[in-house]
Amino acid sequence: MADLLYSKDHEWVRVESDGVAVIGVTKFAADQLGDVVYVDLPETGASISAGQEMGEIESTKSVSDLFSPIDGTVTEVNQDVVDAPETVNSDPLGDGWLVKASFDSLPDDLLSEKEYNKLTAE
């Protein structure tokens, strides 16, 4: 999706028209994880920092850290994903979003779709 930016840690960011960033994990990550069974997300109001852990995602294969792709403050947590973690697998770029966050600027090291696809093809 052309309006998404990607981190090397396999999270995506989409900036909404209201200036809030929506964050989720990529389809590549969701596929690699396998069946997601639990998601631990930061609370609304929590500060998140680019490249730092902001939660965990547990699948039938493993438990993985979730890293924030941006510096910001969490404004909303996707409770639907907390209640139904399998949504991360079924719609990682849509209903499977994880958090929304306010931010001042995006990091320079976020990748375009083309760059991310090249990264995951290696």
Side-chain angles (χ1 to χ4, degrees):
M1 300 179 75
D3 61 338
L4 301 181
L5 294 171
Y6 302 86
S7 74
K8 291 179 181 174
D9 294 318
H10 309 290
E11 283 82 23
W12 57 261
V13 178
R14 180 181 64 237
V15 178
E16 302 278 275
S17 60
D18 59 2
V20 171
V22 183
I23 300 170
V25 297
T26 65
K27 182 174 182 341
F28 175 83
D31 289 347
Q32 293 294 309
L33 285 165
D35 295 334
V36 175
V37 296
Y38 177 75
V39 177
D40 179 37
L41 300 174
E43 294 185 15
T44 300
S47 293
I48 54 176
S49 300
Q52 300 299 308
E53 183 182 330
M54 68 172 189
E56 287 184 341
I57 190 164
E58 182 177 341
S59 71
T60 53
K61 290 182 178 178
S62 66
V63 177
S64 301
D65 292 330
L66 286 171
F67 295 98
S68 176
I70 65 169
D71 293 333
T73 301
V74 175
T75 60
E76 186 177 346
V77 174
N78 188 351
Q79 190 61 43
D80 291 341
V81 165
V82 174
D83 295 340
E86 64 275 12
T87 308
V88 172
N89 295 111
S90 63
D91 193 10
L93 304 180
D95 290 340
W97 64 273
L98 301 176
V99 298
K100 295 183 178 182
S102 62
F103 66 100
D104 290 327
S105 63
L106 295 175
D108 293 335
D109 62 349
L110 292 176
L111 306 173
S112 68
E113 181 178 15
K114 183 178 179 181
E115 292 167 327
Y116 182 74
N117 287 339
K118 182 178 177 184
L119 174 76
T120 57
E122 293 175 353

